[in-house]
Amino acid sequence: QDKLVESGGGLVQPGGSLRLSCAASGIAFNGYSTNKRVAWYRQAPGFSRELVARINTIGGSTFYADFVKGRFTISVDNAKNTVDLQMNSLKPEDTAVYYCNALWGMNERWGQGTQVTVSS
């Protein structure tokens, strides 16, 4: 069964770093299979879910929301079949549940989310 599982969330102080990982089962992220558009979204309490970053598994082109440019990096780890989100210089406003999303053809999958809390 196609499935995405996020990990790596937690509590971090402002200015700190976290690395989120989206592990896929039944879905190949390597560059030899059908292109997948894999994205990280986030949703804070009382707010709509918003796109954070996105990557194409073939070609590796990326997109970042303005509010994370220069701080977050999205990448594909072919060996682990994951899409990772390196988050640096974290701010309290980055606090949210972070979700992984994969889109290919007529298929779409969401993970269950991982909580990121930035607080002193």
Side-chain angles (χ1 to χ4, degrees), residues 67-107:
F67 52 79
V68 302
K69 280 182 181 176
R71 299 190 299 126
F72 291 11
T73 303
I74 189 170
S75 61
V76 179
D77 187 324
N78 289 321
K80 296 180 180 178
N81 201 38
T82 62
V83 171
D84 300 332
L85 185 69
Q86 177 66 42
M87 306 187 297
N88 299 328
S89 303
L90 283 162
K91 306 174 182 180
E93 52 263 43
D94 294 319
T95 295
V97 178
Y98 284 70
Y99 297 90
C100 181
N101 171 271
L103 185 64
W104 70 103
M106 299 295 289
N107 303 289

PDB file of all heavy atoms in Angstrom, residues 67-107:
ATOM      1  N   PHE A  67       8.637  32.682   2.639  1.00  0.00           N
ATOM      2  CA  PHE A  67       8.929  32.774   4.069  1.00  0.00           C
ATOM      3  C   PHE A  67       9.965  31.748   4.541  1.00  0.00           C
ATOM      4  O   PHE A  67      10.382  31.793   5.703  1.00  0.00           O
ATOM      5  CB  PHE A  67       7.642  32.665   4.902  1.00  0.00           C
ATOM      6  CG  PHE A  67       6.780  31.475   4.594  1.00  0.00           C
ATOM      7  CD1 PHE A  67       7.082  30.215   5.096  1.00  0.00           C
ATOM      8  CD2 PHE A  67       5.656  31.599   3.801  1.00  0.00           C
ATOM      9  CE1 PHE A  67       6.297  29.113   4.815  1.00  0.00           C
ATOM     10  CE2 PHE A  67       4.848  30.515   3.510  1.00  0.00           C
ATOM     11  CZ  PHE A  67       5.171  29.263   4.006  1.00  0.00           C
ATOM     12  N   VAL A  68      10.415  30.835   3.669  1.00  0.00           N
ATOM     13  CA  VAL A  68      11.457  29.880   4.064  1.00  0.00           C
ATOM     14  C   VAL A  68      12.696  29.961   3.185  1.00  0.00           C
ATOM     15  O   VAL A  68      13.685  29.277   3.444  1.00  0.00           O
ATOM     16  CB  VAL A  68      10.951  28.421   4.080  1.00  0.00           C
ATOM     17  CG1 VAL A  68       9.768  28.277   5.018  1.00  0.00           C
ATOM     18  CG2 VAL A  68      10.618  27.923   2.678  1.00  0.00           C
ATOM     19  N   LYS A  69      12.666  30.793   2.149  1.00  0.00           N
ATOM     20  CA  LYS A  69      13.815  30.894   1.249  1.00  0.00           C
ATOM     21  C   LYS A  69      15.069  31.281   2.026  1.00  0.00           C
ATOM     22  O   LYS A  69      15.055  32.195   2.839  1.00  0.00           O
ATOM     23  CB  LYS A  69      13.544  31.927   0.158  1.00  0.00           C
ATOM     24  CG  LYS A  69      12.693  31.393  -0.975  1.00  0.00           C
ATOM     25  CD  LYS A  69      12.502  32.450  -2.063  1.00  0.00           C
ATOM     26  CE  LYS A  69      11.635  31.910  -3.182  1.00  0.00           C
ATOM     27  NZ  LYS A  69      11.351  32.930  -4.213  1.00  0.00           N
ATOM     28  N   GLY A  70      16.149  30.558   1.743  1.00  0.00           N
ATOM     29  CA  GLY A  70      17.410  30.818   2.410  1.00  0.00           C
ATOM     30  C   GLY A  70      17.554  30.131   3.752  1.00  0.00           C
ATOM     31  O   GLY A  70      18.639  30.125   4.335  1.00  0.00           O
ATOM     32  N   ARG A  71      16.467  29.552   4.258  1.00  0.00           N
ATOM     33  CA  ARG A  71      16.523  28.873   5.565  1.00  0.00           C
ATOM     34  C   ARG A  71      16.258  27.375   5.450  1.00  0.00           C
ATOM     35  O   ARG A  71      16.854  26.588   6.189  1.00  0.00           O
ATOM     36  CB  ARG A  71      15.485  29.482   6.524  1.00  0.00           C
ATOM     37  CG  ARG A  71      15.686  30.954   6.806  1.00  0.00           C
ATOM     38  CD  ARG A  71      14.781  31.434   7.929  1.00  0.00           C
ATOM     39  NE  ARG A  71      13.355  31.280   7.605  1.00  0.00           N
ATOM     40  CZ  ARG A  71      12.479  30.630   8.372  1.00  0.00           C
ATOM     41  NH1 ARG A  71      12.871  30.061   9.492  1.00  0.00           N
ATOM     42  NH2 ARG A  71      11.201  30.557   8.020  1.00  0.00           N
ATOM     43  N   PHE A  72      15.368  26.973   4.551  1.00  0.00           N
ATOM     44  CA  PHE A  72      14.986  25.566   4.399  1.00  0.00           C
ATOM     45  C   PHE A  72      15.544  25.023   3.089  1.00  0.00           C
ATOM     46  O   PHE A  72      15.632  25.753   2.091  1.00  0.00           O
ATOM     47  CB  PHE A  72      13.467  25.414   4.381  1.00  0.00           C
ATOM     48  CG  PHE A  72      12.764  25.696   5.686  1.00  0.00           C
ATOM     49  CD1 PHE A  72      13.422  26.287   6.762  1.00  0.00           C
ATOM     50  CD2 PHE A  72      11.423  25.384   5.830  1.00  0.00           C
ATOM     51  CE1 PHE A  72      12.766  26.555   7.950  1.00  0.00           C
ATOM     52  CE2 PHE A  72      10.751  25.639   7.016  1.00  0.00           C
ATOM     53  CZ  PHE A  72      11.438  26.236   8.070  1.00  0.00           C
ATOM     54  N   THR A  73      15.856  23.731   3.080  1.00  0.00           N
ATOM     55  CA  THR A  73      16.314  23.058   1.878  1.00  0.00           C
ATOM     56  C   THR A  73      15.608  21.717   1.750  1.00  0.00           C
ATOM     57  O   THR A  73      15.620  20.917   2.695  1.00  0.00           O
ATOM     58  CB  THR A  73      17.836  22.828   1.906  1.00  0.00           C
ATOM     59  OG1 THR A  73      18.503  24.084   2.067  1.00  0.00           O
ATOM     60  CG2 THR A  73      18.300  22.181   0.609  1.00  0.00           C
ATOM     61  N   ILE A  74      15.007  21.476   0.580  1.00  0.00           N
ATOM     62  CA  ILE A  74      14.337  20.206   0.318  1.00  0.00           C
ATOM     63  C   ILE A  74      15.238  19.371  -0.585  1.00  0.00           C
ATOM     64  O   ILE A  74      15.890  19.901  -1.490  1.00  0.00           O
ATOM     65  CB  ILE A  74      12.942  20.430  -0.319  1.00  0.00           C
ATOM     66  CG1 ILE A  74      12.152  19.119  -0.379  1.00  0.00           C
ATOM     67  CG2 ILE A  74      13.049  21.090  -1.688  1.00  0.00           C
ATOM     68  CD1 ILE A  74      10.679  19.322  -0.784  1.00  0.00           C
ATOM     69  N   SER A  75      15.283  18.057  -0.324  1.00  0.00           N
ATOM     70  CA  SER A  75      16.156  17.194  -1.114  1.00  0.00           C
ATOM     71  C   SER A  75      15.618  15.768  -1.132  1.00  0.00           C
ATOM     72  O   SER A  75      14.836  15.381  -0.262  1.00  0.00           O
ATOM     73  CB  SER A  75      17.578  17.203  -0.557  1.00  0.00           C
ATOM     74  OG  SER A  75      17.585  16.714   0.777  1.00  0.00           O
ATOM     75  N   VAL A  76      16.050  15.012  -2.135  1.00  0.00           N
ATOM     76  CA  VAL A  76      15.681  13.607  -2.262  1.00  0.00           C
ATOM     77  C   VAL A  76      16.883  12.756  -1.865  1.00  0.00           C
ATOM     78  O   VAL A  76      17.994  12.997  -2.330  1.00  0.00           O
ATOM     79  CB  VAL A  76      15.265  13.253  -3.704  1.00  0.00           C
ATOM     80  CG1 VAL A  76      14.916  11.765  -3.800  1.00  0.00           C
ATOM     81  CG2 VAL A  76      14.081  14.101  -4.149  1.00  0.00           C
ATOM     82  N   ASP A  77      16.662  11.780  -0.985  1.00  0.00           N
ATOM     83  CA  ASP A  77      17.693  10.809  -0.630  1.00  0.00           C
ATOM     84  C   ASP A  77      17.320   9.499  -1.306  1.00  0.00           C
ATOM     85  O   ASP A  77      16.442   8.771  -0.835  1.00  0.00           O
ATOM     86  CB  ASP A  77      17.773  10.640   0.886  1.00  0.00           C
ATOM     87  CG  ASP A  77      18.947   9.778   1.311  1.00  0.00           C
ATOM     88  OD1 ASP A  77      19.276   8.806   0.584  1.00  0.00           O
ATOM     89  OD2 ASP A  77      19.529  10.049   2.361  1.00  0.00           O
ATOM     90  N   ASN A  78      17.963   9.218  -2.436  1.00  0.00           N
ATOM     91  CA  ASN A  78      17.604   8.029  -3.207  1.00  0.00           C
ATOM     92  C   ASN A  78      17.893   6.735  -2.452  1.00  0.00           C
ATOM     93  O   ASN A  78      17.155   5.766  -2.559  1.00  0.00           O
ATOM     94  CB  ASN A  78      18.354   8.029  -4.538  1.00  0.00           C
ATOM     95  CG  ASN A  78      17.839   9.082  -5.489  1.00  0.00           C
ATOM     96  OD1 ASN A  78      16.628   9.318  -5.555  1.00  0.00           O
ATOM     97  ND2 ASN A  78      18.731   9.723  -6.221  1.00  0.00           N
ATOM     98  N   ALA A  79      18.948   6.727  -1.679  1.00  0.00           N
ATOM     99  CA  ALA A  79      19.328   5.511  -0.961  1.00  0.00           C
ATOM    100  C   ALA A  79      18.272   5.141   0.085  1.00  0.00           C
ATOM    101  O   ALA A  79      17.985   3.959   0.312  1.00  0.00           O
ATOM    102  CB  ALA A  79      20.683   5.696  -0.301  1.00  0.00           C
ATOM    103  N   LYS A  80      17.698   6.149   0.718  1.00  0.00           N
ATOM    104  CA  LYS A  80      16.718   5.896   1.777  1.00  0.00           C
ATOM    105  C   LYS A  80      15.277   5.997   1.268  1.00  0.00           C
ATOM    106  O   LYS A  80      14.348   5.679   2.004  1.00  0.00           O
ATOM    107  CB  LYS A  80      16.907   6.898   2.919  1.00  0.00           C
ATOM    108  CG  LYS A  80      18.246   6.787   3.625  1.00  0.00           C
ATOM    109  CD  LYS A  80      18.343   7.821   4.748  1.00  0.00           C
ATOM    110  CE  LYS A  80      19.676   7.724   5.471  1.00  0.00           C
ATOM    111  NZ  LYS A  80      19.790   8.750   6.535  1.00  0.00           N
ATOM    112  N   ASN A  81      15.103   6.447   0.026  1.00  0.00           N
ATOM    113  CA  ASN A  81      13.769   6.675  -0.540  1.00  0.00           C
ATOM    114  C   ASN A  81      12.974   7.643   0.327  1.00  0.00           C
ATOM    115  O   ASN A  81      11.819   7.388   0.703  1.00  0.00           O
ATOM    116  CB  ASN A  81      12.998   5.361  -0.710  1.00  0.00           C
ATOM    117  CG  ASN A  81      11.883   5.488  -1.737  1.00  0.00           C
ATOM    118  OD1 ASN A  81      12.027   6.142  -2.757  1.00  0.00           O
ATOM    119  ND2 ASN A  81      10.747   4.850  -1.454  1.00  0.00           N
ATOM    120  N   THR A  82      13.628   8.757   0.638  1.00  0.00           N
ATOM    121  CA  THR A  82      12.976   9.793   1.434  1.00  0.00           C
ATOM    122  C   THR A  82      13.109  11.139   0.742  1.00  0.00           C
ATOM    123  O   THR A  82      13.993  11.347  -0.100  1.00  0.00           O
ATOM    124  CB  THR A  82      13.592   9.913   2.843  1.00  0.00           C
ATOM    125  OG1 THR A  82      14.975  10.292   2.720  1.00  0.00           O
ATOM    126  CG2 THR A  82      13.488   8.608   3.617  1.00  0.00           C
ATOM    127  N   VAL A  83      12.233  12.052   1.111  1.00  0.00           N
ATOM    128  CA  VAL A  83      12.382  13.458   0.761  1.00  0.00           C
ATOM    129  C   VAL A  83      12.527  14.204   2.077  1.00  0.00           C
ATOM    130  O   VAL A  83      11.646  14.120   2.941  1.00  0.00           O
ATOM    131  CB  VAL A  83      11.184  13.985  -0.044  1.00  0.00           C
ATOM    132  CG1 VAL A  83      11.264  15.499  -0.192  1.00  0.00           C
ATOM    133  CG2 VAL A  83      11.165  13.334  -1.420  1.00  0.00           C
ATOM    134  N   ASP A  84      13.638  14.892   2.213  1.00  0.00           N
ATOM    135  CA  ASP A  84      13.980  15.526   3.476  1.00  0.00           C
ATOM    136  C   ASP A  84      13.818  17.034   3.399  1.00  0.00           C
ATOM    137  O   ASP A  84      13.960  17.638   2.327  1.00  0.00           O
ATOM    138  CB  ASP A  84      15.420  15.194   3.854  1.00  0.00           C
ATOM    139  CG  ASP A  84      15.636  13.695   4.002  1.00  0.00           C
ATOM    140  OD1 ASP A  84      14.677  12.981   4.335  1.00  0.00           O
ATOM    141  OD2 ASP A  84      16.783  13.249   3.769  1.00  0.00           O
ATOM    142  N   LEU A  85      13.548  17.633   4.542  1.00  0.00           N
ATOM    143  CA  LEU A  85      13.455  19.080   4.647  1.00  0.00           C
ATOM    144  C   LEU A  85      14.384  19.536   5.760  1.00  0.00           C
ATOM    145  O   LEU A  85      14.107  19.296   6.950  1.00  0.00           O
ATOM    146  CB  LEU A  85      12.017  19.523   4.939  1.00  0.00           C
ATOM    147  CG  LEU A  85      11.787  21.036   4.941  1.00  0.00           C
ATOM    148  CD1 LEU A  85      11.927  21.580   3.515  1.00  0.00           C
ATOM    149  CD2 LEU A  85      10.405  21.370   5.498  1.00  0.00           C
ATOM    150  N   GLN A  86      15.496  20.140   5.381  1.00  0.00           N
ATOM    151  CA  GLN A  86      16.432  20.692   6.355  1.00  0.00           C
ATOM    152  C   GLN A  86      15.969  22.100   6.700  1.00  0.00           C
ATOM    153  O   GLN A  86      15.846  22.945   5.813  1.00  0.00           O
ATOM    154  CB  GLN A  86      17.851  20.734   5.778  1.00  0.00           C
ATOM    155  CG  GLN A  86      18.875  21.355   6.711  1.00  0.00           C
ATOM    156  CD  GLN A  86      19.097  20.539   7.967  1.00  0.00           C
ATOM    157  OE1 GLN A  86      19.180  19.322   7.913  1.00  0.00           O
ATOM    158  NE2 GLN A  86      19.194  21.220   9.103  1.00  0.00           N
ATOM    159  N   MET A  87      15.716  22.325   7.976  1.00  0.00           N
ATOM    160  CA  MET A  87      15.189  23.610   8.424  1.00  0.00           C
ATOM    161  C   MET A  87      16.197  24.260   9.357  1.00  0.00           C
ATOM    162  O   MET A  87      16.503  23.712  10.424  1.00  0.00           O
ATOM    163  CB  MET A  87      13.844  23.407   9.138  1.00  0.00           C
ATOM    164  CG  MET A  87      12.823  22.647   8.318  1.00  0.00           C
ATOM    165  SD  MET A  87      11.185  22.584   9.081  1.00  0.00           S
ATOM    166  CE  MET A  87      11.551  21.675  10.570  1.00  0.00           C
ATOM    167  N   ASN A  88      16.726  25.391   8.941  1.00  0.00           N
ATOM    168  CA  ASN A  88      17.691  26.141   9.740  1.00  0.00           C
ATOM    169  C   ASN A  88      17.108  27.493  10.138  1.00  0.00           C
ATOM    170  O   ASN A  88      16.109  27.935   9.572  1.00  0.00           O
ATOM    171  CB  ASN A  88      18.976  26.349   8.939  1.00  0.00           C
ATOM    172  CG  ASN A  88      19.653  25.055   8.555  1.00  0.00           C
ATOM    173  OD1 ASN A  88      19.588  24.050   9.278  1.00  0.00           O
ATOM    174  ND2 ASN A  88      20.302  25.042   7.401  1.00  0.00           N
ATOM    175  N   SER A  89      17.748  28.117  11.107  1.00  0.00           N
ATOM    176  CA  SER A  89      17.322  29.447  11.566  1.00  0.00           C
ATOM    177  C   SER A  89      15.828  29.485  11.852  1.00  0.00           C
ATOM    178  O   SER A  89      15.110  30.387  11.407  1.00  0.00           O
ATOM    179  CB  SER A  89      17.683  30.510  10.516  1.00  0.00           C
ATOM    180  OG  SER A  89      19.067  30.495  10.251  1.00  0.00           O
ATOM    181  N   LEU A  90      15.367  28.508  12.593  1.00  0.00           N
ATOM    182  CA  LEU A  90      13.941  28.385  12.854  1.00  0.00           C
ATOM    183  C   LEU A  90      13.419  29.535  13.700  1.00  0.00           C
ATOM    184  O   LEU A  90      14.127  30.053  14.577  1.00  0.00           O
ATOM    185  CB  LEU A  90      13.643  27.043  13.521  1.00  0.00           C
ATOM    186  CG  LEU A  90      13.649  25.856  12.553  1.00  0.00           C
ATOM    187  CD1 LEU A  90      13.789  24.538  13.287  1.00  0.00           C
ATOM    188  CD2 LEU A  90      12.390  25.856  11.702  1.00  0.00           C
ATOM    189  N   LYS A  91      12.183  29.921  13.415  1.00  0.00           N
ATOM    190  CA  LYS A  91      11.519  31.023  14.101  1.00  0.00           C
ATOM    191  C   LYS A  91      10.263  30.497  14.795  1.00  0.00           C
ATOM    192  O   LYS A  91       9.699  29.485  14.357  1.00  0.00           O
ATOM    193  CB  LYS A  91      11.119  32.101  13.089  1.00  0.00           C
ATOM    194  CG  LYS A  91      12.249  32.608  12.224  1.00  0.00           C
ATOM    195  CD  LYS A  91      11.722  33.554  11.162  1.00  0.00           C
ATOM    196  CE  LYS A  91      12.823  34.042  10.249  1.00  0.00           C
ATOM    197  NZ  LYS A  91      12.313  34.971   9.199  1.00  0.00           N
ATOM    198  N   PRO A  92       9.789  31.188  15.809  1.00  0.00           N
ATOM    199  CA  PRO A  92       8.546  30.742  16.463  1.00  0.00           C
ATOM    200  C   PRO A  92       7.393  30.600  15.485  1.00  0.00           C
ATOM    201  O   PRO A  92       6.544  29.711  15.652  1.00  0.00           O
ATOM    202  CB  PRO A  92       8.300  31.851  17.489  1.00  0.00           C
ATOM    203  CG  PRO A  92       9.661  32.360  17.826  1.00  0.00           C
ATOM    204  CD  PRO A  92      10.420  32.301  16.539  1.00  0.00           C
ATOM    205  N   GLU A  93       7.360  31.451  14.466  1.00  0.00           N
ATOM    206  CA  GLU A  93       6.277  31.374  13.487  1.00  0.00           C
ATOM    207  C   GLU A  93       6.375  30.161  12.573  1.00  0.00           C
ATOM    208  O   GLU A  93       5.468  29.915  11.768  1.00  0.00           O
ATOM    209  CB  GLU A  93       6.192  32.657  12.660  1.00  0.00           C
ATOM    210  CG  GLU A  93       7.491  33.078  12.024  1.00  0.00           C
ATOM    211  CD  GLU A  93       8.229  34.129  12.862  1.00  0.00           C
ATOM    212  OE1 GLU A  93       8.285  33.987  14.115  1.00  0.00           O
ATOM    213  OE2 GLU A  93       8.765  35.079  12.255  1.00  0.00           O
ATOM    214  N   ASP A  94       7.430  29.399  12.660  1.00  0.00           N
ATOM    215  CA  ASP A  94       7.540  28.133  11.925  1.00  0.00           C
ATOM    216  C   ASP A  94       6.824  26.993  12.649  1.00  0.00           C
ATOM    217  O   ASP A  94       6.725  25.882  12.115  1.00  0.00           O
ATOM    218  CB  ASP A  94       9.001  27.741  11.723  1.00  0.00           C
ATOM    219  CG  ASP A  94       9.746  28.695  10.811  1.00  0.00           C
ATOM    220  OD1 ASP A  94       9.162  29.112   9.786  1.00  0.00           O
ATOM    221  OD2 ASP A  94      10.914  29.017  11.106  1.00  0.00           O
ATOM    222  N   THR A  95       6.336  27.268  13.844  1.00  0.00           N
ATOM    223  CA  THR A  95       5.618  26.247  14.608  1.00  0.00           C
ATOM    224  C   THR A  95       4.365  25.811  13.873  1.00  0.00           C
ATOM    225  O   THR A  95       3.531  26.640  13.503  1.00  0.00           O
ATOM    226  CB  THR A  95       5.249  26.788  15.999  1.00  0.00           C
ATOM    227  OG1 THR A  95       6.450  27.044  16.743  1.00  0.00           O
ATOM    228  CG2 THR A  95       4.384  25.789  16.762  1.00  0.00           C
ATOM    229  N   ALA A  96       4.249  24.510  13.634  1.00  0.00           N
ATOM    230  CA  ALA A  96       3.120  23.966  12.874  1.00  0.00           C
ATOM    231  C   ALA A  96       3.251  22.452  12.809  1.00  0.00           C
ATOM    232  O   ALA A  96       4.290  21.892  13.178  1.00  0.00           O
ATOM    233  CB  ALA A  96       3.107  24.535  11.460  1.00  0.00           C
ATOM    234  N   VAL A  97       2.202  21.813  12.306  1.00  0.00           N
ATOM    235  CA  VAL A  97       2.306  20.412  11.913  1.00  0.00           C
ATOM    236  C   VAL A  97       2.756  20.401  10.459  1.00  0.00           C
ATOM    237  O   VAL A  97       2.156  21.083   9.616  1.00  0.00           O
ATOM    238  CB  VAL A  97       0.978  19.664  12.074  1.00  0.00           C
ATOM    239  CG1 VAL A  97       1.127  18.219  11.599  1.00  0.00           C
ATOM    240  CG2 VAL A  97       0.525  19.704  13.529  1.00  0.00           C
ATOM    241  N   TYR A  98       3.811  19.665  10.178  1.00  0.00           N
ATOM    242  CA  TYR A  98       4.365  19.587   8.833  1.00  0.00           C
ATOM    243  C   TYR A  98       3.934  18.276   8.185  1.00  0.00           C
ATOM    244  O   TYR A  98       4.092  17.204   8.778  1.00  0.00           O
ATOM    245  CB  TYR A  98       5.887  19.700   8.883  1.00  0.00           C
ATOM    246  CG  TYR A  98       6.357  21.111   9.121  1.00  0.00           C
ATOM    247  CD1 TYR A  98       6.180  21.732  10.356  1.00  0.00           C
ATOM    248  CD2 TYR A  98       6.969  21.849   8.101  1.00  0.00           C
ATOM    249  CE1 TYR A  98       6.580  23.038  10.570  1.00  0.00           C
ATOM    250  CE2 TYR A  98       7.376  23.158   8.299  1.00  0.00           C
ATOM    251  CZ  TYR A  98       7.180  23.746   9.545  1.00  0.00           C
ATOM    252  OH  TYR A  98       7.578  25.048   9.753  1.00  0.00           O
ATOM    253  N   TYR A  99       3.423  18.401   6.954  1.00  0.00           N
ATOM    254  CA  TYR A  99       2.904  17.256   6.228  1.00  0.00           C
ATOM    255  C   TYR A  99       3.683  17.040   4.938  1.00  0.00           C
ATOM    256  O   TYR A  99       4.046  17.997   4.247  1.00  0.00           O
ATOM    257  CB  TYR A  99       1.439  17.467   5.849  1.00  0.00           C
ATOM    258  CG  TYR A  99       0.499  17.591   7.017  1.00  0.00           C
ATOM    259  CD1 TYR A  99       0.223  18.835   7.570  1.00  0.00           C
ATOM    260  CD2 TYR A  99      -0.134  16.473   7.556  1.00  0.00           C
ATOM    261  CE1 TYR A  99      -0.659  18.963   8.639  1.00  0.00           C
ATOM    262  CE2 TYR A  99      -1.006  16.585   8.620  1.00  0.00           C
ATOM    263  CZ  TYR A  99      -1.267  17.835   9.151  1.00  0.00           C
ATOM    264  OH  TYR A  99      -2.139  17.956  10.203  1.00  0.00           O
ATOM    265  N   CYS A 100       3.869  15.788   4.585  1.00  0.00           N
ATOM    266  CA  CYS A 100       4.467  15.419   3.311  1.00  0.00           C
ATOM    267  C   CYS A 100       3.357  15.065   2.328  1.00  0.00           C
ATOM    268  O   CYS A 100       2.363  14.425   2.712  1.00  0.00           O
ATOM    269  CB  CYS A 100       5.396  14.222   3.519  1.00  0.00           C
ATOM    270  SG  CYS A 100       6.229  13.659   2.035  1.00  0.00           S
ATOM    271  N   ASN A 101       3.535  15.464   1.080  1.00  0.00           N
ATOM    272  CA  ASN A 101       2.554  15.191   0.026  1.00  0.00           C
ATOM    273  C   ASN A 101       3.279  14.723  -1.218  1.00  0.00           C
ATOM    274  O   ASN A 101       4.292  15.297  -1.605  1.00  0.00           O
ATOM    275  CB  ASN A 101       1.758  16.458  -0.269  1.00  0.00           C
ATOM    276  CG  ASN A 101       0.873  16.323  -1.489  1.00  0.00           C
ATOM    277  OD1 ASN A 101       1.297  16.593  -2.609  1.00  0.00           O
ATOM    278  ND2 ASN A 101      -0.353  15.916  -1.274  1.00  0.00           N
ATOM    279  N   ALA A 102       2.765  13.673  -1.841  1.00  0.00           N
ATOM    280  CA  ALA A 102       3.325  13.184  -3.103  1.00  0.00           C
ATOM    281  C   ALA A 102       2.227  13.148  -4.154  1.00  0.00           C
ATOM    282  O   ALA A 102       1.113  12.677  -3.890  1.00  0.00           O
ATOM    283  CB  ALA A 102       3.938  11.801  -2.925  1.00  0.00           C
ATOM    284  N   LEU A 103       2.560  13.668  -5.323  1.00  0.00           N
ATOM    285  CA  LEU A 103       1.598  13.762  -6.417  1.00  0.00           C
ATOM    286  C   LEU A 103       2.241  13.204  -7.683  1.00  0.00           C
ATOM    287  O   LEU A 103       3.349  13.616  -8.053  1.00  0.00           O
ATOM    288  CB  LEU A 103       1.219  15.226  -6.625  1.00  0.00           C
ATOM    289  CG  LEU A 103       0.146  15.573  -7.635  1.00  0.00           C
ATOM    290  CD1 LEU A 103      -1.198  14.994  -7.196  1.00  0.00           C
ATOM    291  CD2 LEU A 103       0.039  17.080  -7.790  1.00  0.00           C
ATOM    292  N   TRP A 104       1.570  12.243  -8.315  1.00  0.00           N
ATOM    293  CA  TRP A 104       2.041  11.710  -9.580  1.00  0.00           C
ATOM    294  C   TRP A 104       0.873  11.159 -10.370  1.00  0.00           C
ATOM    295  O   TRP A 104       0.021  10.449  -9.830  1.00  0.00           O
ATOM    296  CB  TRP A 104       3.116  10.637  -9.381  1.00  0.00           C
ATOM    297  CG  TRP A 104       2.677   9.322  -8.808  1.00  0.00           C
ATOM    298  CD1 TRP A 104       2.485   8.139  -9.489  1.00  0.00           C
ATOM    299  CD2 TRP A 104       2.358   9.033  -7.433  1.00  0.00           C
ATOM    300  NE1 TRP A 104       2.078   7.156  -8.627  1.00  0.00           N
ATOM    301  CE2 TRP A 104       1.995   7.663  -7.361  1.00  0.00           C
ATOM    302  CE3 TRP A 104       2.353   9.785  -6.260  1.00  0.00           C
ATOM    303  CZ2 TRP A 104       1.629   7.046  -6.161  1.00  0.00           C
ATOM    304  CZ3 TRP A 104       1.988   9.180  -5.073  1.00  0.00           C
ATOM    305  CH2 TRP A 104       1.628   7.826  -5.031  1.00  0.00           C
ATOM    306  N   GLY A 105       0.775  11.547 -11.625  1.00  0.00           N
ATOM    307  CA  GLY A 105      -0.360  11.174 -12.445  1.00  0.00           C
ATOM    308  C   GLY A 105      -1.654  11.578 -11.771  1.00  0.00           C
ATOM    309  O   GLY A 105      -1.850  12.729 -11.399  1.00  0.00           O
ATOM    310  N   MET A 106      -2.555  10.619 -11.595  1.00  0.00           N
ATOM    311  CA  MET A 106      -3.834  10.853 -10.926  1.00  0.00           C
ATOM    312  C   MET A 106      -3.753  10.479  -9.446  1.00  0.00           C
ATOM    313  O   MET A 106      -4.778  10.422  -8.764  1.00  0.00           O
ATOM    314  CB  MET A 106      -4.932  10.034 -11.608  1.00  0.00           C
ATOM    315  CG  MET A 106      -5.142  10.405 -13.064  1.00  0.00           C
ATOM    316  SD  MET A 106      -5.741  12.095 -13.252  1.00  0.00           S
ATOM    317  CE  MET A 106      -7.400  11.909 -12.619  1.00  0.00           C
ATOM    318  N   ASN A 107      -2.542  10.220  -8.957  1.00  0.00           N
ATOM    319  CA  ASN A 107      -2.354   9.756  -7.582  1.00  0.00           C
ATOM    320  C   ASN A 107      -1.881  10.874  -6.670  1.00  0.00           C
ATOM    321  O   ASN A 107      -1.081  11.719  -7.062  1.00  0.00           O
ATOM    322  CB  ASN A 107      -1.312   8.636  -7.562  1.00  0.00           C
ATOM    323  CG  ASN A 107      -1.704   7.485  -8.451  1.00  0.00           C
ATOM    324  OD1 ASN A 107      -2.621   6.731  -8.156  1.00  0.00           O
ATOM    325  ND2 ASN A 107      -1.020   7.355  -9.582  1.00  0.00           N
TER     326      ASN A 107
END
